[in-house]
Amino acid sequence: MRKLVILALFAIVVLLSGCSQEDDSDLVTIRLWYGAAVTEAGPPPRNWHVIQKVRDELGINLRLSALPSSMNDQDVRISAAGAGNNLPDIFMVSRGVLMNLVNVGLVAPVDTLYDQMPVRSERHYDELSRRFTTIDGRAWGLADPGATPRNEGLLIRKDWLDALGLDVPVTSDDFMNVMRAFTSGPADWNGNMNTFGFGAFLENHNVHEGALGRRFDPLMGAFGVAGTWNLKEEQLGLNIRNPEYFDALSFVRQMVEERVIDPNWVSHSRDTFRAAWKQGTFGIMREQNAAFAAQNNYRDFDINFPNGEWIVIDPPVGPNGHQSVGVDTPSFRIYAISTRAMYQGKAAHIVRLLEWMTSESYFLFGWGVEGDNFLFDENGVPTVAGIPDPARGFNRSEMQKYTQLRNMVFFNGDVELAARFPVWTTAAGRQKSAEWVLRDMQSRPWTLNTGSDALPQPNADVRRFWEQGIVEFVIGSRTLNRENWDSWLAEFDQIGGAEWEDTAIAAAKELGFVQTSSPLTAAIIAQEN
C-alpha cells in the first residue's frame, strides 16, 4: 500500500512541478533548510563568499533557510511545508516527522546515495546511523552525528582516596564503604565539616533517563536498570518492572539513610550542584566532560584545591554483574531529500554538495577561512592564536554566522574535539584536557538505548506520579518494602502507566528500536561498549 501511495504522489509531484529550474539554465537550484549551529548569531549574509564558491565550483545555486531553534517549531514548519507540497530539496527533520512524510510519500529513499559520497559516508553514516532511518529495508534520511555521545562519566576524588589509603572502589559494596569513609573522613577537607560520599541532583527533564535522572544512573546501572526503558527484546518495557529495580532503589535509599549523599541533592539545581563539587562538598559524582575539565569550568575547584584531583573511574559492579555509566542514546541530525527534488534529478547535485562540504571544504564550513578566521597549529588543529585580526577568530560571537552550517560537516572527530577542548595546565602543574576526559568517559561501560529518547512520553499525571513516587521512596516519605512497592506499581498502572508502557513498546517495535539478539545488534552493542 505504501508503495502505491508513493508512486501516486511521485506522479503528482512531476505533474505539479515539471522539471524547470528556478535560475540560470547552467545552475541547479538547491533549497536547503538547515539547523543553525548558533541560532542567536543569525544566518550567513547574502554576500557570503561561500555561496559564490558553490556556484563556481559545483554549478549550484544554493538557497539557504535556517529552521527555528525550537524542535517543536521545526516540526511545525516541516509538517506545514509537507501538507502544502512545498518541501525544500534537502532539509533537517526530526525522526517522528520524517516517518510521517515517509508514509505519505513526500521524501525519497537514500540507500543508493551512500556509495556516491565515500568521504562523507565513512565519517558520518555508520551502521547505527543508517539503521536509525531505515524502515522496511530502505533508508529514508541521512542521519549525521548529533551531540557528542557518552560525554559524561563517574568521577572520584583521588586525593581523598590517597589520604585514606583506599583503593578505587569496584563493586557496589566497595562504593558504599568508600562513601562512608568520605563522609566521616577528615573534617577539614573543605573547611566546613560537611563532606559527603556522593553528590547529585534531580536532573530528570529527559523522561528516558529515569525518574531520578542521569546523575543516579551509575548506581541504577549496577543493578541493570539504568534509564527508563529496557529495549532488549526479551525484557522490553519499563525498568521499574525489573525485580532488580527495587534493589537499586533500596541501595539509593540506604545512601540517604546513612547520610553518605549530600542531603541537598533534592533541592540542588545544576548550578548549585556544580558549585558544591568545586567547594569540596562530596567525593563521587557523575559529571559532563567539559563542565568538569574545561579550564573555565575547573577554575574554581583549582583555586580552592590546587592539589585536589578527580579521576574518571568505572561505574560500580552490582551483585549480578551489571555495570553502566548510564543509557547511551546516540543522537542524529537527519537530513531528508524531498520526492520533488529526487524526481527533478537533483539528488546527484545534493550528493556532490554534501561530499564537497565534508571533504575539501570541511575546514571552511567548520572554522571559516584559513589565515583569516583560523590558523593550523603544529598538530593540524584550527586555532585563533596568531591570526592577523583576533576579532575575526572563529570563536568570536560576531563570526559565528559564517559557520552556521558546521553541524552538517562535523562528526565528532579528533580535530573538532581538539579545537574545542585545548590542553591546559592546572595550578599543580598537571596537564588537562576535556577531550582526554571525554575519551576516557566514552570508553567506560554504557547501556545502548538507541531510540528511547524518541518514544512516546507519559501524560502529566502519570509522569508526576512516577517521578514523585520514586523520590518519595528514596527520601523515606513512603516506606520502601516489597508490599508498598507492589501496591505503588499497581496504582501506577491504574492511573495510566500501563497504557503509556504499551504505547511506547508498540512505538519501539514499529520504529525499529527493539534490540534483537541478531549478530548485527550484538556487534553494534559491542562497539558502543
Side-chain angles (χ1 to χ4, degrees):
M1 183 63 183
R2 176 184 292 161
K3 292 181 178 179
L4 294 176
V5 171
I6 292 174
L7 290 173
L9 285 168
F10 278 179
I12 293 172
V13 167
V14 172
L15 290 173
L16 289 176
S17 63
C19 296
S20 62
Q21 298 297 334
E22 299 174 72
D23 271 295
D24 299 340
S25 58
D26 60 337
L27 294 176
V28 175
T29 295
I30 300 296
R31 290 194 300 151
L32 165 62
W33 289 4
Y34 66 93
V38 184
T39 53
E40 60 269 24
R46 290 183 178 274
N47 64 348
W48 188 31
H49 72 97
V50 174
I51 297 296
Q52 187 62 47
K53 190 176 180 69
V54 171
R55 292 172 68 95
D56 295 341
E57 297 188 17
L58 304 179
I60 292 174
N61 173 35
L62 184 60
R63 295 173 57 185
L64 300 173
S65 180
L67 287 166
S69 58
S70 162
M71 180 66 72
N72 182 67
D73 291 343
Q74 289 178 21
D75 289 348
V76 170
R77 182 176 178 187
I78 297 295
S79 298
N85 194 31
N86 191 33
L87 287 168
D89 302 307
I90 178 171
F91 55 98
M92 192 176 78
V93 60
S94 68
R95 195 176 190 279
V97 173
L98 174 67
M99 297 302 102
N100 294 335
L101 296 175
V102 168
N103 288 332
V104 295
L106 290 177
V107 294
V110 298
D111 308 77
T112 60
L113 305 185
Y114 293 122
D115 290 342
Q116 300 175 43
M117 302 180 286
V119 174
R120 189 174 182 89
S121 293
E122 181 180 0
R123 291 180 178 180
H124 287 239
Y125 310 129
D126 61 13
E127 192 63 45
L128 195 59
S129 160
R130 299 184 189 201
R131 286 180 64 235
F132 194 70
T133 61
T134 296
I135 303 174
D136 298 334
R138 303 298 303 274
W140 297 91
L142 300 167
D144 295 310
T148 307
R150 305 185 301 284
N151 65 346
E152 296 205 355
L154 191 65
L155 296 119
I156 195 167
R157 286 287 297 269
K158 183 179 183 300
D159 54 316
W160 288 13
L161 287 174
D162 292 344
L164 293 168
L166 297 174
D167 294 327
V168 172
V170 176
T171 68
S172 53
D173 287 341
D174 292 340
F175 270 79
M176 185 66 77
N177 289 331
V178 167
M179 287 188 286
R180 289 169 179 149
F182 281 0
T183 302
S184 61
D188 60 352
W189 274 349
N190 67 1
N192 297 318
M193 300 183 65
N194 64 339
T195 58
F196 301 94
F198 191 82
F201 67 101
L202 284 170
E203 189 175 16
N204 54 6
H205 56 275
N206 293 324
V207 170
H208 68 281
E209 290 178 329
L212 293 176
R214 68 175 69 178
R215 304 294 159 177
F216 288 88
D217 251 358
L219 306 177
M220 307 301 285
F223 298 85
V225 290
T228 300
W229 298 100
N230 189 324
L231 294 180
K232 295 179 181 177
E233 187 174 32
E234 63 276 14
Q235 297 174 302
L236 185 60
L238 288 166
N239 272 326
I240 56 175
R241 307 288 188 198
N242 189 326
E244 287 194 71
Y245 193 93
F246 177 88
D247 299 329
L249 216 57
S250 298
F251 184 86
V252 179
R253 171 61 189 152
Q254 183 180 353
M255 291 169 57
V256 173
E257 284 183 312
E258 295 192 24
R259 291 182 60 81
V260 298
I261 183 173
D262 175 8
N264 291 316
W265 68 271
V266 178
S267 59
H268 267 319
S269 66
R270 185 191 305 268
D271 290 341
T272 60
F273 162 79
R274 287 176 173 160
W277 70 255
K278 294 171 187 179
Q279 293 162 6
T281 302
F282 41 80
I284 304 175
M285 64 177 179
R286 172 174 156 161
E287 182 59 294
Q288 195 256 3
N289 73 302
F292 161 64
Q295 185 172 7
N296 288 341
N297 295 329
Y298 192 85
R299 182 187 296 115
D300 288 347
F301 178 81
D302 204 19
I303 293 172
N304 292 333
F305 306 99
N307 294 313
E309 183 180 6
W310 291 90
I311 59 171
V312 181
I313 62 173
D314 279 336
V317 178
N320 294 320
H322 298 298
Q323 184 183 33
S324 176
V325 176
V327 289
D328 177 19
T329 51
S331 64
F332 300 96
R333 296 182 180 93
I334 303 172
Y335 278 85
I337 297 175
S338 67
T339 300
R340 183 196 302 271
M342 185 69 75
Y343 265 76
Q344 288 180 333
K346 294 186 178 183
H349 302 280
I350 292 172
V351 164
R352 187 180 178 192
L353 172 66
L354 293 175
E355 182 74 353
W356 177 82
M357 291 171 66
T358 310
S359 54
E360 59 192 272
S361 297
Y362 168 67
F363 290 100
L364 175 63
F365 282 91
W367 291 273
V369 178
E370 181 187 359
D372 182 19
N373 308 119
F374 73 94
L375 295 172
F376 289 109
D377 68 12
E378 64 275 11
N379 297 313
V381 176
T383 176
V384 296
I387 61 174
D389 183 1
R392 293 188 58 79
F394 68 83
N395 60 339
R396 298 296 292 266
S397 59
E398 57 268 28
M399 303 305 295
Q400 298 291 304
K401 60 189 175 184
Y402 296 107
T403 56
Q404 287 289 36
L405 274 65
R406 63 178 180 263
N407 287 337
M408 292 189 69
V409 300
F410 281 178
F411 60 102
N412 297 317
D414 291 342
V415 169
E416 298 159 26
L417 295 173
R420 182 179 176 188
F421 304 128
V423 178
W424 58 279
T425 304
T426 69
R430 289 189 293 266
Q431 284 197 318
K432 205 171 193 66
S433 166
E435 180 195 2
W436 300 345
V437 172
L438 171 66
R439 294 308 190 194
D440 194 353
M441 290 175 169
Q442 290 176 326
S443 71
R444 306 292 173 163
W446 286 80
T447 300
L448 183 63
N449 219 224
T450 305
S452 63
D453 53 339
L455 296 180
Q457 303 207 2
N459 63 46
D461 290 338
V462 172
R463 181 171 181 175
R464 187 182 307 109
F465 182 88
W466 170 55
E467 292 179 344
Q468 289 184 357
I470 298 300
V471 172
E472 288 168 358
F473 278 124
V474 170
I475 65 176
S477 59
R478 285 177 182 258
T479 301
L480 182 60
N481 57 42
R482 292 287 182 180
E483 181 180 0
N484 288 345
W485 177 248
D486 291 342
S487 176
W488 179 85
L489 278 176
E491 189 176 354
F492 168 79
D493 287 342
Q494 290 174 358
I495 69 165
E499 182 180 356
W500 168 41
E501 182 178 31
D502 291 343
T503 302
I505 288 175
K509 292 178 178 178
E510 179 182 356
L511 297 174
F513 293 145
V514 179
Q515 298 172 9
T516 66
S517 55
S518 68
L520 174 59
T521 300
I524 292 173
I525 293 175
Q527 178 183 1
E528 289 294 313
N529 290 336

